[in-house]
PDB file of all heavy atoms in Angstrom:
ATOM      1  N   TYR H 233     -13.827   8.275 -42.222  1.00 98.00           N
ATOM      2  CA  TYR H 233     -14.097   6.891 -41.808  1.00 98.00           C
ATOM      3  C   TYR H 233     -14.296   6.831 -40.301  1.00 98.00           C
ATOM      4  O   TYR H 233     -13.474   7.330 -39.528  1.00 98.00           O
ATOM      5  CB  TYR H 233     -12.928   5.990 -42.221  1.00 98.00           C
ATOM      6  CG  TYR H 233     -13.062   4.544 -41.788  1.00 98.00           C
ATOM      7  CD1 TYR H 233     -13.828   3.653 -42.534  1.00 98.00           C
ATOM      8  CD2 TYR H 233     -12.421   4.067 -40.650  1.00 98.00           C
ATOM      9  CE1 TYR H 233     -13.943   2.318 -42.145  1.00 98.00           C
ATOM     10  CE2 TYR H 233     -12.533   2.736 -40.267  1.00 98.00           C
ATOM     11  CZ  TYR H 233     -13.299   1.871 -41.026  1.00 98.00           C
ATOM     12  OH  TYR H 233     -13.420   0.552 -40.642  1.00 98.00           O
ATOM     13  N   THR H 234     -15.375   6.222 -39.885  1.00 97.00           N
ATOM     14  CA  THR H 234     -15.672   6.092 -38.451  1.00 97.00           C
ATOM     15  C   THR H 234     -15.917   4.631 -38.068  1.00 97.00           C
ATOM     16  O   THR H 234     -16.421   4.351 -36.988  1.00 97.00           O
ATOM     17  CB  THR H 234     -16.909   6.919 -38.074  1.00 97.00           C
ATOM     18  OG1 THR H 234     -18.036   6.472 -38.857  1.00 97.00           O
ATOM     19  CG2 THR H 234     -16.674   8.399 -38.325  1.00 97.00           C
ATOM     20  N   GLY H 235     -15.539   3.716 -38.944  1.00 97.00           N
ATOM     21  CA  GLY H 235     -15.833   2.307 -38.740  1.00 97.00           C
ATOM     22  C   GLY H 235     -14.854   1.627 -37.804  1.00 97.00           C
ATOM     23  O   GLY H 235     -13.998   2.266 -37.172  1.00 97.00           O
ATOM     24  N   PRO H 236     -14.961   0.311 -37.714  1.00 98.00           N
ATOM     25  CA  PRO H 236     -14.134  -0.452 -36.776  1.00 98.00           C
ATOM     26  C   PRO H 236     -12.664  -0.480 -37.175  1.00 98.00           C
ATOM     27  O   PRO H 236     -12.300  -0.290 -38.342  1.00 98.00           O
ATOM     28  CB  PRO H 236     -14.743  -1.851 -36.833  1.00 98.00           C
ATOM     29  CG  PRO H 236     -15.447  -1.920 -38.143  1.00 98.00           C
ATOM     30  CD  PRO H 236     -15.930  -0.538 -38.426  1.00 98.00           C
ATOM     31  N   VAL H 237     -11.834  -0.724 -36.174  1.00 98.00           N
ATOM     32  CA  VAL H 237     -10.403  -0.933 -36.363  1.00 98.00           C
ATOM     33  C   VAL H 237     -10.117  -2.368 -35.934  1.00 98.00           C
ATOM     34  O   VAL H 237     -10.178  -2.695 -34.750  1.00 98.00           O
ATOM     35  CB  VAL H 237      -9.568   0.052 -35.531  1.00 98.00           C
ATOM     36  CG1 VAL H 237      -8.080  -0.184 -35.761  1.00 98.00           C
ATOM     37  CG2 VAL H 237      -9.947   1.497 -35.862  1.00 98.00           C
ATOM     38  N   GLU H 238      -9.825  -3.226 -36.900  1.00 98.00           N
ATOM     39  CA  GLU H 238      -9.559  -4.635 -36.605  1.00 98.00           C
ATOM     40  C   GLU H 238      -8.071  -4.855 -36.342  1.00 98.00           C
ATOM     41  O   GLU H 238      -7.234  -4.446 -37.139  1.00 98.00           O
ATOM     42  CB  GLU H 238      -9.960  -5.531 -37.786  1.00 98.00           C
ATOM     43  CG  GLU H 238     -11.437  -5.691 -37.995  1.00 98.00           C
ATOM     44  CD  GLU H 238     -11.737  -6.745 -39.065  1.00 98.00           C
ATOM     45  OE1 GLU H 238     -10.799  -7.448 -39.495  1.00 98.00           O
ATOM     46  OE2 GLU H 238     -12.897  -6.848 -39.468  1.00 98.00           O
ATOM     47  N   VAL H 239      -7.765  -5.500 -35.244  1.00 98.00           N
ATOM     48  CA  VAL H 239      -6.402  -5.983 -35.025  1.00 98.00           C
ATOM     49  C   VAL H 239      -6.337  -7.394 -35.591  1.00 98.00           C
ATOM     50  O   VAL H 239      -7.036  -8.298 -35.128  1.00 98.00           O
ATOM     51  CB  VAL H 239      -6.031  -5.959 -33.531  1.00 98.00           C
ATOM     52  CG1 VAL H 239      -4.696  -6.664 -33.307  1.00 98.00           C
ATOM     53  CG2 VAL H 239      -5.952  -4.514 -33.039  1.00 98.00           C
ATOM     54  N   GLU H 240      -5.507  -7.560 -36.632  1.00 98.00           N
ATOM     55  CA  GLU H 240      -5.396  -8.842 -37.342  1.00 98.00           C
ATOM     56  C   GLU H 240      -3.922  -9.204 -37.456  1.00 98.00           C
ATOM     57  O   GLU H 240      -3.173  -8.557 -38.188  1.00 98.00           O
ATOM     58  CB  GLU H 240      -6.019  -8.753 -38.731  1.00 98.00           C
ATOM     59  CG  GLU H 240      -5.989 -10.079 -39.475  1.00 98.00           C
ATOM     60  CD  GLU H 240      -6.283  -9.930 -40.954  1.00 98.00           C
ATOM     61  OE1 GLU H 240      -5.581  -9.120 -41.617  1.00 98.00           O
ATOM     62  OE2 GLU H 240      -7.185 -10.616 -41.449  1.00 98.00           O
ATOM     63  N   VAL H 241      -3.502 -10.228 -36.725  1.00 98.00           N
ATOM     64  CA  VAL H 241      -2.095 -10.599 -36.659  1.00 98.00           C
ATOM     65  C   VAL H 241      -1.953 -12.094 -36.926  1.00 98.00           C
ATOM     66  O   VAL H 241      -2.686 -12.904 -36.364  1.00 98.00           O
ATOM     67  CB  VAL H 241      -1.503 -10.257 -35.266  1.00 98.00           C
ATOM     68  CG1 VAL H 241      -0.053 -10.703 -35.170  1.00 98.00           C
ATOM     69  CG2 VAL H 241      -1.629  -8.761 -34.997  1.00 98.00           C
ATOM     70  N   PHE H 242      -0.980 -12.445 -37.788  1.00 97.00           N
ATOM     71  CA  PHE H 242      -0.626 -13.848 -38.008  1.00 97.00           C
ATOM     72  C   PHE H 242       0.783 -14.065 -37.452  1.00 97.00           C
ATOM     73  O   PHE H 242       1.752 -13.524 -37.993  1.00 97.00           O
ATOM     74  CB  PHE H 242      -0.596 -14.222 -39.496  1.00 97.00           C
ATOM     75  CG  PHE H 242      -1.803 -13.817 -40.292  1.00 97.00           C
ATOM     76  CD1 PHE H 242      -1.688 -13.603 -41.660  1.00 97.00           C
ATOM     77  CD2 PHE H 242      -3.047 -13.639 -39.716  1.00 97.00           C
ATOM     78  CE1 PHE H 242      -2.786 -13.239 -42.421  1.00 97.00           C
ATOM     79  CE2 PHE H 242      -4.147 -13.274 -40.455  1.00 97.00           C
ATOM     80  CZ  PHE H 242      -4.019 -13.072 -41.806  1.00 97.00           C
ATOM     81  N   HIS H 243       0.899 -14.837 -36.407  1.00 96.00           N
ATOM     82  CA  HIS H 243       2.219 -15.135 -35.862  1.00 96.00           C
ATOM     83  C   HIS H 243       2.144 -16.418 -35.058  1.00 96.00           C
ATOM     84  O   HIS H 243       1.292 -16.554 -34.168  1.00 96.00           O
ATOM     85  CB  HIS H 243       2.722 -13.987 -34.992  1.00 96.00           C
ATOM     86  CG  HIS H 243       4.186 -14.083 -34.690  1.00 96.00           C
ATOM     87  ND1 HIS H 243       4.686 -14.882 -33.689  1.00 96.00           N
ATOM     88  CD2 HIS H 243       5.267 -13.490 -35.282  1.00 96.00           C
ATOM     89  CE1 HIS H 243       5.994 -14.780 -33.664  1.00 96.00           C
ATOM     90  NE2 HIS H 243       6.383 -13.942 -34.611  1.00 96.00           N
ATOM     91  N   ALA H 244       3.032 -17.347 -35.363  1.00 95.00           N
ATOM     92  CA  ALA H 244       2.976 -18.665 -34.723  1.00 95.00           C
ATOM     93  C   ALA H 244       3.134 -18.562 -33.207  1.00 95.00           C
ATOM     94  O   ALA H 244       2.467 -19.282 -32.446  1.00 95.00           O
ATOM     95  CB  ALA H 244       4.054 -19.570 -35.311  1.00 95.00           C
ATOM     96  N   GLY H 245       4.018 -17.692 -32.754  1.00 95.00           N
ATOM     97  CA  GLY H 245       4.195 -17.536 -31.324  1.00 95.00           C
ATOM     98  C   GLY H 245       2.946 -17.035 -30.637  1.00 95.00           C
ATOM     99  O   GLY H 245       2.591 -17.481 -29.534  1.00 95.00           O
ATOM    100  N   LEU H 246       2.267 -16.131 -31.284  1.00 96.00           N
ATOM    101  CA  LEU H 246       1.018 -15.598 -30.737  1.00 96.00           C
ATOM    102  C   LEU H 246      -0.052 -16.688 -30.696  1.00 96.00           C
ATOM    103  O   LEU H 246      -0.795 -16.818 -29.711  1.00 96.00           O
ATOM    104  CB  LEU H 246       0.551 -14.426 -31.600  1.00 96.00           C
ATOM    105  CG  LEU H 246      -0.464 -13.454 -30.999  1.00 96.00           C
ATOM    106  CD1 LEU H 246       0.099 -12.760 -29.777  1.00 96.00           C
ATOM    107  CD2 LEU H 246      -0.898 -12.438 -32.043  1.00 96.00           C
ATOM    108  N   TRP H 247      -0.103 -17.507 -31.731  1.00 97.00           N
ATOM    109  CA  TRP H 247      -1.118 -18.554 -31.808  1.00 97.00           C
ATOM    110  C   TRP H 247      -0.917 -19.638 -30.749  1.00 97.00           C
ATOM    111  O   TRP H 247      -1.857 -20.381 -30.438  1.00 97.00           O
ATOM    112  CB  TRP H 247      -1.098 -19.189 -33.195  1.00 97.00           C
ATOM    113  CG  TRP H 247      -1.606 -18.281 -34.271  1.00 97.00           C
ATOM    114  CD1 TRP H 247      -2.300 -17.112 -34.104  1.00 97.00           C
ATOM    115  CD2 TRP H 247      -1.454 -18.458 -35.686  1.00 97.00           C
ATOM    116  NE1 TRP H 247      -2.591 -16.541 -35.334  1.00 97.00           N
ATOM    117  CE2 TRP H 247      -2.087 -17.346 -36.313  1.00 97.00           C
ATOM    118  CE3 TRP H 247      -0.857 -19.429 -36.473  1.00 97.00           C
ATOM    119  CZ2 TRP H 247      -2.126 -17.198 -37.696  1.00 97.00           C
ATOM    120  CZ3 TRP H 247      -0.891 -19.287 -37.851  1.00 97.00           C
ATOM    121  CH2 TRP H 247      -1.535 -18.181 -38.453  1.00 97.00           C
ATOM    122  N   SER H 248       0.280 -19.714 -30.203  1.00 97.00           N
ATOM    123  CA  SER H 248       0.544 -20.732 -29.176  1.00 97.00           C
ATOM    124  C   SER H 248       0.096 -20.278 -27.788  1.00 97.00           C
ATOM    125  O   SER H 248       0.104 -21.081 -26.847  1.00 97.00           O
ATOM    126  CB  SER H 248       2.038 -21.069 -29.150  1.00 97.00           C
ATOM    127  OG  SER H 248       2.797 -19.972 -28.651  1.00 97.00           O
ATOM    128  N   ARG H 249      -0.303 -19.034 -27.661  1.00 98.00           N
ATOM    129  CA  ARG H 249      -0.705 -18.496 -26.366  1.00 98.00           C
ATOM    130  C   ARG H 249      -2.208 -18.657 -26.154  1.00 98.00           C
ATOM    131  O   ARG H 249      -2.976 -18.780 -27.118  1.00 98.00           O
ATOM    132  CB  ARG H 249      -0.308 -17.014 -26.273  1.00 98.00           C
ATOM    133  CG  ARG H 249       1.190 -16.799 -26.278  1.00 98.00           C
ATOM    134  CD  ARG H 249       1.585 -15.377 -26.617  1.00 98.00           C
ATOM    135  NE  ARG H 249       1.043 -14.396 -25.690  1.00 98.00           N
ATOM    136  CZ  ARG H 249       1.244 -13.069 -25.813  1.00 98.00           C
ATOM    137  NH1 ARG H 249       1.969 -12.598 -26.823  1.00 98.00           N
ATOM    138  NH2 ARG H 249       0.723 -12.244 -24.946  1.00 98.00           N
ATOM    139  N   PRO H 250      -2.673 -18.640 -24.912  1.00 98.00           N
ATOM    140  CA  PRO H 250      -4.117 -18.742 -24.658  1.00 98.00           C
ATOM    141  C   PRO H 250      -4.874 -17.583 -25.301  1.00 98.00           C
ATOM    142  O   PRO H 250      -4.391 -16.439 -25.334  1.00 98.00           O
ATOM    143  CB  PRO H 250      -4.208 -18.674 -23.124  1.00 98.00           C
ATOM    144  CG  PRO H 250      -2.864 -19.110 -22.638  1.00 98.00           C
ATOM    145  CD  PRO H 250      -1.884 -18.621 -23.660  1.00 98.00           C
ATOM    146  N   GLY H 251      -6.068 -17.871 -25.785  1.00 98.00           N
ATOM    147  CA  GLY H 251      -6.839 -16.874 -26.500  1.00 98.00           C
ATOM    148  C   GLY H 251      -7.111 -15.616 -25.695  1.00 98.00           C
ATOM    149  O   GLY H 251      -7.002 -14.491 -26.216  1.00 98.00           O
ATOM    150  N   ARG H 252      -7.491 -15.768 -24.449  1.00 98.00           N
ATOM    151  CA  ARG H 252      -7.784 -14.589 -23.633  1.00 98.00           C
ATOM    152  C   ARG H 252      -6.546 -13.715 -23.445  1.00 98.00           C
ATOM    153  O   ARG H 252      -6.643 -12.489 -23.426  1.00 98.00           O
ATOM    154  CB  ARG H 252      -8.364 -15.013 -22.283  1.00 98.00           C
ATOM    155  CG  ARG H 252      -9.812 -15.476 -22.360  1.00 98.00           C
ATOM    156  CD  ARG H 252     -10.382 -15.856 -21.010  1.00 98.00           C
ATOM    157  NE  ARG H 252     -11.759 -16.298 -21.129  1.00 98.00           N
ATOM    158  CZ  ARG H 252     -12.824 -15.505 -20.989  1.00 98.00           C
ATOM    159  NH1 ARG H 252     -12.653 -14.222 -20.707  1.00 98.00           N
ATOM    160  NH2 ARG H 252     -14.040 -15.998 -21.123  1.00 98.00           N
ATOM    161  N   GLU H 253      -5.390 -14.349 -23.331  1.00 98.00           N
ATOM    162  CA  GLU H 253      -4.140 -13.601 -23.202  1.00 98.00           C
ATOM    163  C   GLU H 253      -3.843 -12.819 -24.483  1.00 98.00           C
ATOM    164  O   GLU H 253      -3.396 -11.662 -24.443  1.00 98.00           O
ATOM    165  CB  GLU H 253      -3.008 -14.568 -22.888  1.00 98.00           C
ATOM    166  CG  GLU H 253      -1.660 -13.927 -22.657  1.00 98.00           C
ATOM    167  CD  GLU H 253      -0.602 -14.964 -22.354  1.00 98.00           C
ATOM    168  OE1 GLU H 253      -0.804 -15.764 -21.421  1.00 98.00           O
ATOM    169  OE2 GLU H 253       0.430 -14.973 -23.059  1.00 98.00           O
ATOM    170  N   VAL H 254      -4.089 -13.447 -25.625  1.00 98.00           N
ATOM    171  CA  VAL H 254      -3.880 -12.780 -26.912  1.00 98.00           C
ATOM    172  C   VAL H 254      -4.840 -11.602 -27.055  1.00 98.00           C
ATOM    173  O   VAL H 254      -4.445 -10.513 -27.511  1.00 98.00           O
ATOM    174  CB  VAL H 254      -4.062 -13.776 -28.071  1.00 98.00           C
ATOM    175  CG1 VAL H 254      -4.003 -13.056 -29.413  1.00 98.00           C
ATOM    176  CG2 VAL H 254      -3.001 -14.859 -28.009  1.00 98.00           C
ATOM    177  N   LEU H 255      -6.080 -11.787 -26.677  1.00 98.00           N
ATOM    178  CA  LEU H 255      -7.051 -10.704 -26.753  1.00 98.00           C
ATOM    179  C   LEU H 255      -6.632  -9.530 -25.861  1.00 98.00           C
ATOM    180  O   LEU H 255      -6.678  -8.366 -26.285  1.00 98.00           O
ATOM    181  CB  LEU H 255      -8.435 -11.209 -26.358  1.00 98.00           C
ATOM    182  CG  LEU H 255      -9.559 -10.160 -26.292  1.00 98.00           C
ATOM    183  CD1 LEU H 255      -9.728  -9.458 -27.637  1.00 98.00           C
ATOM    184  CD2 LEU H 255     -10.866 -10.811 -25.846  1.00 98.00           C
ATOM    185  N   GLU H 256      -6.220  -9.822 -24.649  1.00 98.00           N
ATOM    186  CA  GLU H 256      -5.783  -8.761 -23.729  1.00 98.00           C
ATOM    187  C   GLU H 256      -4.592  -7.992 -24.303  1.00 98.00           C
ATOM    188  O   GLU H 256      -4.534  -6.761 -24.229  1.00 98.00           O
ATOM    189  CB  GLU H 256      -5.420  -9.364 -22.379  1.00 98.00           C
ATOM    190  CG  GLU H 256      -6.606  -9.883 -21.583  1.00 98.00           C
ATOM    191  CD  GLU H 256      -6.185 -10.636 -20.326  1.00 98.00           C
ATOM    192  OE1 GLU H 256      -4.957 -10.682 -20.057  1.00 98.00           O
ATOM    193  OE2 GLU H 256      -7.064 -11.157 -19.618  1.00 98.00           O
ATOM    194  N   ALA H 257      -3.640  -8.723 -24.883  1.00 98.00           N
ATOM    195  CA  ALA H 257      -2.471  -8.073 -25.473  1.00 98.00           C
ATOM    196  C   ALA H 257      -2.857  -7.242 -26.700  1.00 98.00           C
ATOM    197  O   ALA H 257      -2.286  -6.162 -26.942  1.00 98.00           O
ATOM    198  CB  ALA H 257      -1.427  -9.121 -25.847  1.00 98.00           C
ATOM    199  N   SER H 258      -3.824  -7.722 -27.469  1.00 98.00           N
ATOM    200  CA  SER H 258      -4.288  -6.978 -28.643  1.00 98.00           C
ATOM    201  C   SER H 258      -4.959  -5.677 -28.229  1.00 98.00           C
ATOM    202  O   SER H 258      -4.727  -4.626 -28.838  1.00 98.00           O
ATOM    203  CB  SER H 258      -5.265  -7.838 -29.448  1.00 98.00           C
ATOM    204  OG  SER H 258      -4.652  -9.009 -29.927  1.00 98.00           O
ATOM    205  N   ILE H 259      -5.778  -5.740 -27.200  1.00 98.00           N
ATOM    206  CA  ILE H 259      -6.438  -4.538 -26.708  1.00 98.00           C
ATOM    207  C   ILE H 259      -5.411  -3.537 -26.189  1.00 98.00           C
ATOM    208  O   ILE H 259      -5.475  -2.332 -26.492  1.00 98.00           O
ATOM    209  CB  ILE H 259      -7.459  -4.899 -25.608  1.00 98.00           C
ATOM    210  CG1 ILE H 259      -8.624  -5.695 -26.200  1.00 98.00           C
ATOM    211  CG2 ILE H 259      -7.973  -3.642 -24.912  1.00 98.00           C
ATOM    212  CD1 ILE H 259      -9.555  -6.292 -25.154  1.00 98.00           C
ATOM    213  N   ALA H 260      -4.451  -4.021 -25.418  1.00 98.00           N
ATOM    214  CA  ALA H 260      -3.428  -3.136 -24.861  1.00 98.00           C
ATOM    215  C   ALA H 260      -2.620  -2.452 -25.964  1.00 98.00           C
ATOM    216  O   ALA H 260      -2.367  -1.247 -25.909  1.00 98.00           O
ATOM    217  CB  ALA H 260      -2.503  -3.926 -23.929  1.00 98.00           C
ATOM    218  N   GLY H 261      -2.226  -3.215 -26.978  1.00 98.00           N
ATOM    219  CA  GLY H 261      -1.478  -2.637 -28.085  1.00 98.00           C
ATOM    220  C   GLY H 261      -2.307  -1.635 -28.872  1.00 98.00           C
ATOM    221  O   GLY H 261      -1.800  -0.586 -29.302  1.00 98.00           O
TER     222      GLY H 261
END
Side-chain angles (χ1 to χ4, degrees):
Y233 177 82
T234 59
V237 181
E238 288 188 9
V239 171
E240 183 194 54
V241 177
F242 310 154
H243 194 278
L246 199 62
W247 290 346
S248 69
R249 294 162 59 181
R252 285 182 180 267
E253 183 180 306
V254 174
L255 176 58
E256 290 173 4
S258 298
I259 292 170

